[in-house]
C-alpha cells in the first residue's frame, strides 16, 4: 500500500497492535483533520476517529470560499479578518490544485454605500499584505452588464471588483487526510467514540466502536481532543455528565444550486446587504451556480440538516431582486444546509442573532485534561490546529516541537510543479492522483466508461465543457481503494460532489455506483440494495421533484 493512501483495513491492524498514542482526535471535519495533520507532522503518534465520513457534516456544506470575510470586517472584527487573509495565502501556496483565485463583484446601487464598500475593500486588500490575491477596482455599469448579462441594471450605478479564493471543501478534507497519513497519522471513518477512559478524573483515552463490525476498541492516549464541531457538547457531557450549559449555538446556512442559464458569468457576485442584513453570494462552481447563504438559529444538531422552506424562499426572493431570469423551486438542482458550530459563553450570546456571533475559534480545557475546540471557519483551520496542538503539548506533557504546517504542501499539490502536464478542469481536483486514475483506465479500458452512459439523457449535457471520460467507473474504484469511501453517499456527495450539484442525476447513477462498490468491497446484493435505498431517500431531500 503506497504511503498517503487511505486504507481502512491497514489502519485497523495498526490500531489493534498499538497500546499508547500521543494524541487522539475526535472528529473528522476541517478542524479535526487539521489538528491530526499538525500533530502527526510534528512527530506525535496521532489517531483521528470520525463517526461518519470525513467532512460529512458542516465541512462539506460551506460556501466553498477561502476568504477573510468581508462581513466580519464590517462588524469590526479586524483580527479575525487579518488572520483569515494570512491563512488564505498559505492555502493557495500549499494547495494550488484546489484553491483558486476568484473575481468577486459587488454591484453598487447607491454611491454613498459604494464609497463605504470601496474603503472597506481597500482595507481588506491592505490587511492581506504580501499575500494579496489582487487589487480591487471600480467597474462601470457597462463593464458589469458585459460580465453579468443577467443582472438587473435599472438602478445600477457601477460596482467594485475584488479578489478572494474558492475551493472544494470535501476534496480538501480528503487531501488533508492523505497528507496526515504521509506524515505518519492514522485516521478511521465510521468509528464512533462511545465513552472516555478516565482514572481519578483524568482522561487516559477513549472507548470507540467500529460502526461496520460493531467491534469495540480501547484506545489509550496522553491527550484527547474534542474537535466534533456541532456535536462538541456530546463529548463534553461524556466528561461531565452533570454539565447542563451548552457552548454551541448551531446556525444553519443553506445554499441552492442552479444551472448556468441563470447566471452565466465566470465571476462571482456579492450582495453585501440583503433585506435582513445577510450577505448573499452567487458563485460559479463546477459549471453550476451556487447561491447562498442563510444564517438561521436551530435548536438541534443533526448530521443531515434539511433546508427550511423560509430559507429557500429567502434565497429565491433575493436572487429575483437582482437578476432578470427568475428561478422557481423546480429549477433548483440541489439545495443543502450546513450547521455552523458557533461558540457562546453566556446567555447574552445565546440571545444574539447568529450573524452577530463571532466566528473566532475558542479553546476549552476541562479539569480532566480534555481539550475542546469550538467555532472557527474553514479558512482558518490550519491556525486553529496549530493553537490546539500547542495547548495539547502543554496539557499532555508532550515533547515540545514547532508547527510545520505553514509551509507543508497538501497532498495533490505536486501536480502543480513547473514540469506538470496540462490536465483538464475536471481532473485537476485530483492533483497528482489524476495520472494514477488514468493509468487504471489504460490498464482496463472499460473502467473509463462514464457512469452516465446507458441513461436516456446525454451525459454531455450535464457538464458540456468536460471530456467524455468524466464520472468514470475507475474513479469509484479509486475512491474505495484509496480514499476510504465506504458508502454510495461517500462517493456521490463528498468525492464526486454530484449530490450537491444535481441531486436527480446523482440518483440516476446511484445503482451503478453501488454495483461497482459491492464488487470492490465484496458486499452482497442486500448491501447493494440498501445502499441505493438509503441514498435515494437522502437525495430526495436535496431537490424539488
Amino acid at each position: 500500500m503506497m504511503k498517503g493512501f487511505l486504507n481502512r483495513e491497514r489502519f485497523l491492524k495498526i490500531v489493534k497492535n498499538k497500546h499508547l498514542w500521543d494524541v487522539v482526535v475526535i472528529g473528522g471535519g476541517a478542524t479535526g483533520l487539521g489538528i491530526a495533520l499538525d500533530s502527526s507532522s510534528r512527530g506525535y503518534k496521532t489517531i483521528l476517529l470520525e463517526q461518519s465520513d470525513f467532512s460529512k457534516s458542516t465541512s462539506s456544506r460551506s460556501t466553498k470560499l477561502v476568504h477573510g470575510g468581508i462581513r466580519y470586517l464590517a462588524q469590526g472584527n479586524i483580527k479575525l479578518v487579518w488572520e483569515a487573509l494570512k491563512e488564505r495565502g498559505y492555502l493557495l501556496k500549499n494547495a494550488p490544485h484546489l484553491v483558486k483565485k476568484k473575481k468577486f463583484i459587488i454591484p453598487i446601487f447607491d454611491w454613498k454605500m459604494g464609497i463605504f464598500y470601496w474603503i472597506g475593500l481597500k482595507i481588506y486588500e491592505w490587511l492581506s499584505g504580501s499575500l494579496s490575491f489582487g487589487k480591487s477596482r471600480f467597474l462601470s455599469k457597462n463593464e458589469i452588464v458585459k460580465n453579468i448579462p443577467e443582472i438587473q441594471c435599472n438602478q445600477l450605478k457601477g460596482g467594485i471588483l475584488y479578489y478572494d479564493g474558492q475551493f472544494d471543501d470535501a476534496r480538501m478534507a480528503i487531501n488533508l487526510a492523505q497528507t496526515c497519513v504521509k506524515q505518519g497519522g492514522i485516521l478511521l471513518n465510521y468509528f464512533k467514540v462511545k465513552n472516555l477512559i478516565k482514572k481519578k478524573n483524568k482522561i487516559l483515552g477513549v472507548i470507540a466502536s467500529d460502526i461496520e463490525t460493531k467491534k469495540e476498541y480501547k484506545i489509550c492516549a496522553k491527550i484527547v481532543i474534542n474537535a466534533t464541531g456541532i456535536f462538541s457538547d456530546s463529548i463534553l457531557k461524556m466528561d461531565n455528565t452533570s454539565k447542563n450549559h451548552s457552548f454551541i449555538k448551531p446556525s444553519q446556512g443553506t445554499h441552492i444550486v442552479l444551472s448556468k442559464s441563470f447566471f452565466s458569468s465566470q465571476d462571482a457576485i456579492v450582495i453585501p446587504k440583503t433585506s435582513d442584513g445577510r450577505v448573499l453570494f452567487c458563485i460559479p462552481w463546477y459549471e453550476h451556480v451556487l447561491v447562498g447563504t442563510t444564517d438561521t438559529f436551530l435548536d438541534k444538531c443533526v448530521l443531515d440538516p434539511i433546508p427550511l422552506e423560509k430559507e429557500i424562499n429567502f434565497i429565491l426572493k433575493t436572487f429575483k431582486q437582482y437578476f432578470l431570469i427568475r428561478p422557481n423551486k423546480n429549477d433548483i438542482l440541489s439545495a443543502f444546509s450546513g450547521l455552523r458550530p458557533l461558540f457562546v459563553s453566556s446567555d447574552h450570546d445565546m440571545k444574539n442573532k447568529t450573524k452577530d456571533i463571532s466566528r473566532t475559534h475558542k479553546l476549552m480545557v476541562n479539569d480532566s485534561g480534555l481539550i475542546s475546540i469550538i467555532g472557527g471557519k474553514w479558512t482558518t483551520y490550519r491556525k486553529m490546529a496549530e493553537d490546539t496542538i500547542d495547548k495539547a503539548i502543554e496539557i499532555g506533557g508532550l515533547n515540545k516541537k514547532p508547527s510545520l504546517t505553514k509551509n507543508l504542501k497538501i497532498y495533490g499539490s505536486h501536480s502543480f510543479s513547473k514540469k506538470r502536464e496540462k490536465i483538464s478542469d475536471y481532473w485537476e481536483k485530483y492533483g497528482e492522483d489524476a495520472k494514477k486514475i488514468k493509468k487504471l483506465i489504460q490498464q482496463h479500458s472499460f473502467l473509463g466508461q462514464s457512469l452516465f452512459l446507458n441513461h436516456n439523457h446525454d451525459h454531455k449535457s450535464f457538464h458540456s465543457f468536460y471530456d467524455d471520460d468524466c464520472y468514470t467507473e475507475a474513479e469509484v474504484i479509486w475512491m474505495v481503494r484509496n480514499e476510504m469511501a465506504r458508502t454510495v453517499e461517500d462517493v456521490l456527495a463528498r468525492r464526486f460532489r454530484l449530490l450537491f450539484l444535481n441531486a436527480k442525476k446523482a440518483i440516476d447513477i446511484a445503482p451503478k455506483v453501488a454495483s461497482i462498490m459491492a464488487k470492490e468491497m465484496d458486499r452482497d446484493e442486500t448491501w447493494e440494495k440498501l445502499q441505493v435505498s438509503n441514498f435515494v431517500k437522502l437525495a430526495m431531500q436535496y431537490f424539488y421533484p
Side-chain angles (χ1 to χ4, degrees):
M1 179 57 60
M2 292 178 66
K3 217 176 181 186
F5 285 6
L6 304 179
N7 184 281
R8 202 170 184 274
E9 287 70 30
R10 181 169 71 90
F11 296 162
L12 280 171
K13 287 177 185 175
I14 293 170
V15 172
K16 287 172 186 173
N17 295 319
K18 199 166 197 69
H19 301 296
L20 180 65
W21 299 82
D22 290 323
V23 177
V24 170
V25 182
I26 311 172
T31 306
L33 290 165
I35 291 167
L37 174 54
D38 189 284
S39 176
S40 58
S41 63
R42 296 197 205 198
Y44 303 125
K45 290 174 283 187
T46 306
I47 183 169
L48 177 146
L49 308 173
E50 162 57 43
Q51 68 171 333
S52 186
D53 186 29
F54 304 119
S55 77
K56 153 75 176 178
S57 190
T58 305
S59 297
S60 62
R61 300 160 184 269
S62 74
T63 315
K64 323 304 175 198
L65 297 181
V66 177
H67 64 143
I70 55 172
R71 77 178 169 113
Y72 309 137
L73 189 64
Q75 292 170 356
N77 198 337
I78 303 293
K79 184 178 182 294
L80 174 62
V81 175
W82 176 71
E83 186 176 85
L85 287 171
K86 277 201 307 178
E87 294 301 323
R88 181 190 70 170
Y90 299 144
L91 266 167
L92 179 66
K93 180 180 69 172
N94 293 325
H97 62 303
L98 291 178
V99 178
K100 307 295 176 189
K101 291 181 181 179
K102 193 82 181 168
K103 292 178 182 176
F104 287 76
I105 294 170
I106 296 181
I108 295 172
F109 299 92
D110 176 275
W111 281 120
K112 185 178 177 183
M113 291 306 296
I115 293 168
F116 175 74
Y117 298 147
W118 173 255
I119 294 169
L121 287 168
K122 280 299 172 185
I123 294 171
Y124 193 71
E125 185 185 314
W126 173 73
L127 285 170
S128 62
S130 62
L131 296 172
S132 171
F133 274 29
K135 289 190 174 183
S136 54
R137 65 182 181 91
F138 271 116
L139 297 177
S140 68
K141 177 179 176 179
N142 287 341
E143 283 179 295
I144 291 180
V145 172
K146 186 178 177 181
N147 251 333
I148 309 170
E150 298 84 7
I151 197 168
Q152 293 266 17
C153 56
N154 292 342
Q155 307 290 320
L156 187 65
K157 311 291 185 188
I160 303 170
L161 180 145
Y162 75 98
Y163 292 83
D164 241 324
Q166 184 179 32
F167 80 138
D168 183 329
D169 47 13
R171 178 53 54 181
M172 177 69 80
I174 294 297
N175 282 174
L176 286 176
Q178 291 168 316
T179 314
C180 181
V181 173
K182 284 188 77 173
Q183 297 297 320
I186 298 296
L187 307 96
L188 285 166
N189 56 359
Y190 296 98
F191 220 83
K192 185 176 177 64
V193 171
K194 296 281 193 176
N195 217 330
L196 303 173
I197 302 170
K198 296 177 78 171
K199 185 178 181 181
K200 294 182 180 177
N201 199 39
K202 291 297 177 186
I203 292 179
L204 303 177
V206 300
I207 302 292
S209 174
D210 183 342
I211 290 173
E212 293 187 359
T213 64
K214 312 302 181 194
K215 183 176 178 180
E216 284 200 348
Y217 292 79
K218 183 179 179 180
I219 300 171
C220 297
K222 296 176 184 175
I223 199 79
V224 174
I225 297 170
N226 174 17
T228 55
I230 56 172
F231 300 108
S232 295
D233 281 337
S234 64
I235 304 298
L236 286 165
K237 283 176 182 174
M238 287 181 192
D239 187 31
N240 183 0
T241 54
S242 63
K243 184 185 102 49
N244 53 26
H245 173 71
S246 174
F247 292 96
I248 301 292
K249 184 172 185 175
S251 159
Q252 178 158 296
T254 290
H255 300 80
I256 65 170
V257 176
L258 302 170
S259 77
K260 287 208 73 176
S261 62
F262 292 96
F263 186 88
S264 59
S265 177
Q266 287 302 311
D267 300 337
I269 195 166
V270 184
I271 309 301
K273 197 164 186 181
T274 59
S275 58
D276 67 350
R278 290 179 282 203
V279 174
L280 193 83
F281 292 94
C282 300
I283 307 169
W285 185 54
Y286 289 139
E287 287 302 287
H288 291 71
V289 59
L290 184 70
V291 187
T293 179
T294 59
D295 220 342
T296 308
F297 171 62
L298 292 187
D299 294 320
K300 192 169 69 171
C301 295
V302 292
L303 264 175
D304 284 303
I306 299 172
L308 303 175
E309 191 81 11
K310 66 178 183 179
E311 293 179 300
I312 299 296
N313 291 338
F314 168 78
I315 293 172
L316 287 173
K317 181 182 176 183
T318 306
F319 188 91
K320 289 173 184 177
Q321 287 172 1
Y322 292 93
F323 297 98
L324 297 169
I325 309 175
R326 303 165 71 81
N328 295 308
K329 285 182 184 175
N330 57 6
D331 294 309
I332 295 172
L333 301 175
S334 184
F336 60 91
S337 297
L339 299 182
R340 307 174 187 91
L342 303 182
F343 176 84
V344 290
S345 57
S346 65
D347 291 337
H348 178 265
D349 282 347
M350 272 291 184
K351 291 172 186 174
N352 282 342
K353 290 183 178 179
T354 56
K355 67 184 179 67
D356 296 324
I357 298 175
S358 174
R359 268 49 173 178
T360 306
H361 62 277
K362 304 289 183 185
L363 275 171
M364 295 170 54
V365 182
N366 287 16
D367 293 339
S368 63
L370 175 70
I371 298 175
S372 297
I373 180 161
I374 301 170
K377 46 187 267 181
W378 241 119
T379 307
T380 57
Y381 86 90
R382 191 211 63 82
K383 182 65 169 69
M384 293 161 64
E386 181 181 319
D387 290 351
T388 305
I389 295 301
D390 283 347
K391 181 61 70 173
I393 292 169
E394 176 192 331
I395 302 299
L398 305 176
N399 292 329
K400 192 170 183 179
K401 300 174 186 177
S403 176
L404 305 173
T405 52
K406 276 185 186 177
N407 299 305
L408 184 63
K409 297 292 184 184
I410 302 301
Y411 186 94
S413 63
H414 296 295
S415 62
F416 276 72
S417 65
K418 290 180 182 178
K419 296 179 182 179
R420 75 181 179 96
E421 292 178 17
K422 176 68 179 170
I423 55 176
S424 74
D425 291 335
Y426 176 84
W427 290 96
E428 195 171 50
K429 63 180 178 286
Y430 289 109
E432 60 205 66
D433 284 345
K435 286 183 183 178
K436 298 166 190 172
I437 300 170
K438 289 188 173 185
K439 189 175 180 181
L440 199 60
I441 294 171
Q442 289 168 5
Q443 293 168 346
H444 309 282
S445 58
F446 66 91
L447 295 179
Q449 183 174 327
S450 169
L451 298 164
F452 285 110
L453 293 181
N454 303 322
H455 283 280
N456 292 328
H457 56 74
D458 175 11
H459 80 284
K460 287 289 282 182
S461 67
F462 174 53
H463 277 312
S464 58
F465 89 122
Y466 284 160
D467 300 328
D468 283 318
D469 62 342
C470 301
Y471 295 93
T472 62
E473 295 185 24
E475 291 166 85
V476 178
I477 289 172
W478 181 268
M479 290 164 184
V480 172
R481 290 180 185 175
N482 302 307
E483 295 182 355
M484 275 168 83
R486 310 299 294 176
T487 70
V488 169
E489 183 196 338
D490 295 349
V491 169
L492 290 174
R494 287 170 293 281
R495 286 159 184 78
F496 273 143
R497 308 317 314 268
L498 189 55
L499 177 61
F500 288 81
L501 292 167
N502 192 316
K504 193 181 291 184
K505 289 190 171 156
I507 289 172
D508 280 351
I509 63 171
K512 182 69 174 173
V513 171
S515 174
I516 296 167
M517 293 183 76
K519 288 173 189 170
E520 185 65 27
M521 298 169 68
D522 195 25
R523 299 291 195 259
D524 60 19
E525 192 177 342
T526 303
W527 180 91
E528 195 176 325
K529 287 180 178 176
L530 185 61
Q531 280 293 307
V532 174
S533 172
N534 288 344
F535 181 76
V536 170
K537 185 178 178 182
L538 173 70
M540 291 299 289
Q541 298 173 3
Y542 281 67
F543 73 110
Y544 297 84

